[in-house]
Amino acid sequence: MTCIRSEGAHRILKANDMSDLLSRLLVERDWLLADGATGTTLFNMGLESGDAPELWNADHPDRIAKLYQGAVDAGSDIFLTNSFGGTRARLKLHNAQDRAHELSKLAAEIGRDVADKAGRPIVVAGSIGPTGEIMEPMGALTYASAVEMFHEQAEGLKAGGADVLWVETISAPEEYKAAAEAAKLAEMPWCGTMSFDTAGRTMMGVTSAELAAMVGRLDPTPVAFGANCGVGASDLLRTVLGFRASGTEVPFIAKGNAGIPKYVDGHIHYDGTPELMAKYAVMARDCGAKIIGGCCGTQPVHLSAMRKALEETPAGPAPTLEQIAETIGGFSSDSDGTDNKGPAKRTTRRRARA
């Protein structure tokens, strides 16, 4: 597969020394397929609502290995570790705060074993989710404490053999910056995605253009950045077009939900079919995303369809908003926030979603 990349993108990757597997693959490949939903898959395996998935790294490592293997078998080039809620702040809810390093290390170790047996390059991405705490002055969490918690988790993931840190579902710029600093302290390459779930903005009012600008100022620069989760694949694709319009040279990530969540027979069900996610994947690539995956509701069957579509569908021009709406579904709001319409920035945070 040929790959033509701008000199600017090469400079960005060179700044990361291209010593990590993800950076090398981004140079060699036109696109990479990430994984799907961690929570949805684990609930299907028997995880109960309210339980900490990270405890399964110690209690049910075979199930976590099966989670990772499912993504690999479906064609993913990258899978995220079962450590989304692995900060000390999150684990405190389960009286496991002193196991933050241990549980993240186990998550990466299980992943490392699966990846090393795959017979092809697989990136083990150490998932780091939001702390769920409110930062000062409205809350008690200081920036320094956020860095410390992220750093603790980063060191565990590094010790377990993760190739890259993958910060995800962030809404506050302060947390994003704290995670970047933690990656620097751990001497690890990193990626970072935010969730644009509030009329095209994050819960804290960040737009796609603002994230792209912030990424360019961070030290270290992420290997890639982008959007995950949110309210639907159409909205996420609109956000990805916002990254493209910013002119950023940092590769970007699209990790959208498999349709819209619906409550069916006591469970949350996502209505996105494999066929729909295949179309989403192709559109994400044509929007400019270099790393494409799924978030909530995305199962191996979706990933297989996405891989097949990406391999068999020739690259095309970036889709218009009208084409996205017609193919994937309508948008949840009229604006993505970059036109200064929509909600203003918040000065406080709601508790981040599990």
Side-chain angles (χ1 to χ4, degrees):
M1 182 177 292
T2 59
C3 178
I4 300 174
R5 186 173 294 279
S6 70
E7 290 183 6
H10 274 297
R11 286 196 298 271
I12 292 293
L13 292 172
K14 188 175 181 181
N16 288 309
D17 298 325
M18 288 193 290
S19 58
D20 65 277
L21 177 59
L22 180 57
S23 291
R24 295 199 302 271
L25 290 178
L26 282 169
V27 169
E28 296 168 2
R29 297 276 303 278
D30 291 316
W31 50 265
L32 298 172
L33 183 67
D35 63 357
T38 295
T40 303
T41 305
L42 294 184
F43 282 126
N44 289 341
M45 291 182 182
L47 183 72
E48 295 291 335
S49 180
D51 289 348
E54 293 74 23
L55 294 176
W56 273 25
N57 297 332
D59 299 339
H60 300 290
D62 56 326
R63 299 181 191 178
I64 303 308
K66 185 178 179 181
L67 164 74
Y68 300 156
Q69 191 65 55
V72 172
D73 291 346
S76 294
D77 303 296
I78 305 163
F79 64 76
L80 277 57
T81 59
N82 180 42
S83 51
F84 176 84
T87 57
R88 180 171 288 266
R90 286 293 187 111
L91 291 173
K92 186 177 181 179
L93 300 174
H94 308 277
N95 197 32
Q97 61 270 26
D98 293 333
R99 302 181 66 186
H101 183 280
E102 170 208 349
L103 293 172
S104 284
K105 180 172 181 286
L106 287 172
E109 284 179 341
I110 299 167
R112 183 78 271 151
D113 185 60
V114 170
D116 288 347
K117 293 176 180 177
R120 58 187 176 88
I122 300 291
V123 176
V124 179
S127 173
I128 297 178
T131 65
E133 297 294 320
I134 300 175
M135 298 190 77
E136 62 180 11
M138 299 305 296
L141 180 64
T142 65
Y143 177 81
S145 294
V147 172
E148 183 178 3
M149 284 193 286
F150 286 141
H151 183 212
E152 178 181 32
Q153 189 178 9
E155 291 291 354
L157 292 165
K158 179 180 180 179
D163 294 299
V164 63
L165 303 178
W166 192 288
V167 181
E168 57 173 330
T169 326
I170 304 296
S171 62
E174 297 86 358
E175 274 200 319
Y176 201 89
K177 294 173 184 177
E181 186 170 337
K184 185 174 185 178
L185 291 172
E187 299 182 331
M188 284 285 285
W190 73 289
C191 296
T193 61
M194 293 186 121
S195 181
F196 296 82
D197 55 6
T198 310
R201 297 173 180 260
T202 73
M203 192 183 300
M204 294 305 295
V206 179
T207 67
S208 56
E210 289 167 339
L211 174 58
M214 178 173 65
V215 162
R217 297 190 297 266
L218 293 176
D219 179 25
T221 304
V223 176
F225 80 101
N228 79 295
C229 204
V231 293
S234 294
D235 281 44
L236 188 133
L237 290 174
R238 182 171 63 178
T239 296
V240 173
L241 286 176
F243 299 146
R244 183 188 184 102
S246 75
T248 180
E249 295 175 337
V250 182
F252 39 91
I253 300 163
K255 221 167 178 285
N257 293 342
I260 305 299
K262 297 180 179 179
Y263 196 70
V264 181
D265 296 330
H267 299 280
I268 297 296
H269 171 73
Y270 285 80
D271 63 3
T273 63
E275 292 75 20
L276 180 71
M277 291 303 285
K279 293 175 182 177
Y280 144 79
V282 170
M283 281 192 157
R285 179 200 62 193
D286 292 345
C287 285
K290 299 299 181 184
I291 300 175
I292 302 154
C295 203
C296 300
T298 308
Q299 297 293 284
V301 64
H302 297 96
L303 295 172
S304 294
M306 291 162 66
R307 179 91 195 190
K308 186 173 187 292
L310 287 166
E311 290 178 337
E312 297 180 355
T313 309
T320 64
L321 294 180
E322 291 75 15
Q323 289 170 330
I324 291 172
E326 181 180 347
T327 304
I328 307 299
F331 302 103
S332 67
S333 63
D334 292 333
S335 168
D336 69 349
T338 58
D339 54 4
N340 293 320
K341 296 178 182 178
K345 282 187 173 58
R346 298 175 185 267
T347 56
T348 61
R349 288 185 61 201
R350 295 195 303 240
R351 188 173 187 83
R353 293 174 298 175

